[in-house]
Amino acid sequence: MSSFPLPDSAEPVIQYVASCELPTPWGEFVMHGFEEEGGREHVALTLGDVSDGQPVLARLHSECLTGDALFSLRCDCGFQLEAAMEAICKEGRGALLYLRQEGRGIGLINKIRAYKLQDGGADTVEANERLGFPADMRDFRIARHMLEHLGIGSVRVMTNNPRKLATLAAAGIDVAERVPLQVGRNPYNDRYLDTKAAKLGHMLSK
């Protein structure tokens, strides 16, 4: 099964809007706002000098309302978001791109439909496919434009998904290193994480 198929749509158009300070429990970031043609809004958080030409510790995080904001235990997204922000602050330099690609790109309402199918026994991949979607339909080309604006030429990506590295490279993003980010396993997301490993190739340990 192929994850992250390269999109055949036109190159996304994204425009920088504004930046501001964003204090968090882990440190003080600068938040940069971007607007994509069509209305989707994305943000990047940066800490330290990320435009000095050296590879930047980065997390390309796709939106997960349930995990990031509502503290769901069904996934590891919220745990990864917090761990990535903490890791960037400990390093003193890095970037987090928060991409509005809910539910691996299928949207919030379809994600709820997928959750309903999972409640009935389907795994995450089966649920997406029963709804007529691929396992993952995110487009990371928008991230390349955001990184270019920030002056970031190369990234050390916090991810457990080796397929994502190839997808980022195909989108024109220079990946210098994969940095594991394994947090948040619990009884509610055991099957979810096992499916990520078995069907999507994620490098996860029990």
Side-chain angles (χ1 to χ4, degrees), residues 3-165:
S3 180
F4 298 119
L6 276 177
D8 55 10
S9 58
E11 184 76 13
V13 177
I14 189 166
Q15 183 175 19
Y16 165 74
V17 179
S19 299
C20 66
E21 296 179 357
L22 185 71
T24 75
W26 304 281
E28 295 186 11
F29 290 86
V30 177
M31 181 166 67
H32 312 268
F34 297 83
E35 187 172 18
E36 188 179 353
E37 188 176 68
R40 282 198 306 181
E41 297 165 331
H42 311 273
V43 299
L45 306 183
T46 59
L47 183 74
D49 183 3
V50 296
S51 60
D52 61 1
Q54 297 302 309
V56 174
L57 181 66
R59 168 75 180 164
L60 278 61
H61 189 91
S62 295
E63 178 182 33
C64 176
L65 176 71
T66 49
D68 298 340
L70 301 178
F71 314 109
S72 171
L73 298 177
R74 295 184 69 139
C75 64
D76 58 344
C77 302
F79 299 102
Q80 288 187 315
L81 177 62
E82 293 191 11
M85 293 176 71
E86 183 177 10
I88 289 169
C89 289
K90 283 184 177 178
E91 181 143 320
R93 176 177 176 270
L96 185 141
L97 274 59
Y98 196 85
L99 309 172
R100 307 296 296 278
Q101 305 191 107
E102 179 73 55
R104 295 181 186 156
I106 68 175
L108 179 59
I109 298 303
N110 282 322
K111 177 180 174 178
I112 295 172
R113 293 188 176 109
Y115 273 178
K116 177 65 174 177
L117 293 173
Q118 292 169 39
D119 290 343
D123 64 35
T124 53
V125 171
E126 292 166 346
N128 273 27
E129 291 176 342
R130 288 184 194 178
L131 291 173
F133 300 110
D136 200 315
M137 54 185 296
R138 289 173 287 177
D139 183 351
F140 287 98
R141 293 176 300 175
I142 54 175
R144 186 187 77 245
H145 295 294
M146 295 167 71
L147 292 170
E148 288 173 351
H149 174 83
L150 297 170
I152 298 174
S154 180
V155 290
R156 298 165 48 226
V157 178
M158 289 182 274
T159 182
N160 301 317
N161 188 355
R163 297 188 188 190
K164 187 174 186 178
L165 305 183

